[in-house]
Amino acid sequence: MIADNNMSDSQSARALAPRRHGEILRRLVSDGTVSITELADHFDVSRQTIRRDLKHLAERGQLDLVHGGATLFEPTEAAFTERRGENASAKASIGRAAAALVRDGMVVFLDSGTTTLAVAHALADRKNLTICTTSLSIALQMCRQPQVRVHMLGGEIDPAEEAAVGIDALEAISHFRVDVAFLGGGGLSPDGEVTDFTRNGAEQRSRMTATAGKAYFVLDSSKFGRLTPLRIPRFELAAGVIVDRRPPEAICEALKRKGPIVIVAE
Amino acid sequence: MIADNNMSDSQSARALAPRRHGEILRRLVSDGTVSITELADHFDVSRQTIRRDLKHLAERGQLDLVHGGATLFEPTEAAFTERRGENASAKASIGRAAAALVRDGMVVFLDSGTTTLAVAHALADRKNLTICTTSLSIALQMCRQPQVRVHMLGGEIDPAEEAAVGIDALEAISHFRVDVAFLGGGGLSPDGEVTDFTRNGAEQRSRMTATAGKAYFVLDSSKFGRLTPLRIPRFELAAGVIVDRRPPEAICEALKRKGPIVIVAE
DNA sequence: AAATAATAGTTACATTATGCAACATAAATA
DNA sequence: TATTTATGTTGCATAATGTAACTATTATTT
């Protein structure tokens, strides 16, 4: 009756490669990692076979091989992504405070930086927003949200910020009418000014401060008293600074004299 | 064709081909894969018969043959992140072929799309490149590579492509002198033209084709013969198309008449 | 820190399963 | 009866998997 070869009587037929591949990828996204031993056990095949599967998937860029198994594929680790974890809860609370200032339908500018990324997170489920940003991560994240329109300001990418800088980005700013801008900064100096690391960055933030309906600087407490080389011109036009805890009294005083209010999150 | 069949004795009677086909497809959509051994067992027919069934269904585009069985064929345009895995090895080989055309020091434009993302992967360890792109993912990935300068062309982000489109991106193109451009497309029509889904996309690719020193369209074989609504003007100025296997003869002939060469990867 | 054991990776080759093509058979059709 | 169509059978080429000996890496112990 059953022609072809003999056997195939033993147990359930061996899973074909694509089945294993699918399951492996499913486990990866749910667990983050897979182990060769576990997989070989689970599929009842040799480790060598699993190794070949993983190698195959790795060649397609679907995962990263590690000793003993594989992990989710991450294009490359960068300084930026590492910074992301630092002071995460402070940034999240700043993000929520910032989001509270945004109403549906607004045009929002989001600067590059990990704190502004937290603001983006907090805005993720808002309706009918228009986001302008120079940050690749923010653009990528926000464009995946329904009901959010995203404009990326182009230009040369600064690898440290993973964001557009330079003349193109500067000029693009002038094309937009922005209701509210959330800007980062390198430090909050003792005399109540936000300072920056680069000339380009300072100029960009200065222009946005002057252009936006309201501009807020978002700064976690690690920036208090830190000095970086460049002043941000026209900083006094900013509407306020949003921080995770109250800055030293001297800084508060200085800020009060200049104009921007201090918003302490949570 | 099918005579009236009163046999219907029991299910021991051999299923007719259309019955098997229906069941095979039903199993496919429920399980994602089918195995020849299992099916032969289930229908009590020879493996060769199942092979012929699967081949028949594959020719009609209803499934994809794999060693030992078949998998679901997904012709629909899935969301970008889901599309990433599809046809991954074809895209990887196209990526390598494309990278072989790039020499250190060049200015390279990379269009949006999953195939161009594969080109970016293949270029990742090159030295001293300048990358221009409209794709957020490509910009993010390449800016993490040392020795690579990245320019992001700004504009409104199309969520489906996760890339900048529209007037800003169009204008930004004219600022660059590009040595080689790798462009995507919606389909490779039977009369040897690359076609696109949107007017903006077609215009952008057309301009880049005319501007770049050399422009190549990267297309995996799922695009062969596919018709999408918009022609890409000046397509005949392209240097070539890079594909993962040789297109049907008619398409090759048509391309030959127009000008662009055909590069078959791997 | 050096030595050791345990685990994992590599390579090469043996074994098994699958694919393919050519031909054979049986039923349905003309 | 001849012809077509679907299926079965066989033999060989190819691909996937298993196995074993050996090397490399990681963990543990001293």
Side-chain angles (χ1 to χ4, degrees), chain A residues 1 3-4 14 20 44-46 48-49 52 67:
Chain A
M1 293 284 164
D4 234 14
R14 284 262 148 61
R20 290 197 307 267
D44 193 24
V45 295
S46 73
Q48 186 60 31
T49 298
R52 289 188 264 240
H67 197 87

Side-chain angles (χ1 to χ4, degrees), chain A residues 215-228:
Chain A
Y216 297 91
F217 283 84
V218 290
L219 300 161
D220 70 86
S221 51
S222 71
K223 307 282 189 358
F224 294 171
R226 182 185 288 181
L227 288 165
T228 61

Side-chain angles (χ1 to χ4, degrees), chain B residues 29-109:
Chain B
V29 297
S30 85
D31 301 350
T33 62
V34 291
S35 133
I36 287 184
T37 303
E38 284 170 14
L39 290 171
D41 213 29
H42 177 254
F43 293 117
D44 193 24
V45 296
S46 74
R47 307 153 55 69
Q48 186 62 40
T49 297
I50 298 296
R51 241 170 244 128
R52 288 189 265 242
D53 287 343
L54 295 184
K55 189 181 172 197
H56 190 241
L57 292 168
E59 278 165 0
R60 296 169 41 172
Q62 313 220 30
L63 45 75
D64 264 347
L65 293 177
V66 297
H67 195 89
T71 64
L72 264 179
F73 181 75
E74 296 275 2
T76 53
E77 284 287 320
F80 184 83
T81 46
E82 288 161 17
R83 259 163 42 211
R84 216 140 136 168
E86 287 174 23
N87 227 340
S89 68
K91 285 168 183 168
S93 67
I94 290 174
R96 287 190 293 273
L101 300 170
V102 174
R103 289 190 303 281
D104 289 357
M106 277 186 167
V107 179
V108 181
F109 176 84

Side-chain angles (χ1 to χ4, degrees), chain A residues 188 224 241 243 245-252 255 262 264:
Chain A
L188 182 57
F224 294 171
V241 301
V243 293
R245 65 162 192 263
R246 191 167 173 76
E249 200 50 41
I251 295 183
C252 287
L255 276 168
V262 175
V264 180

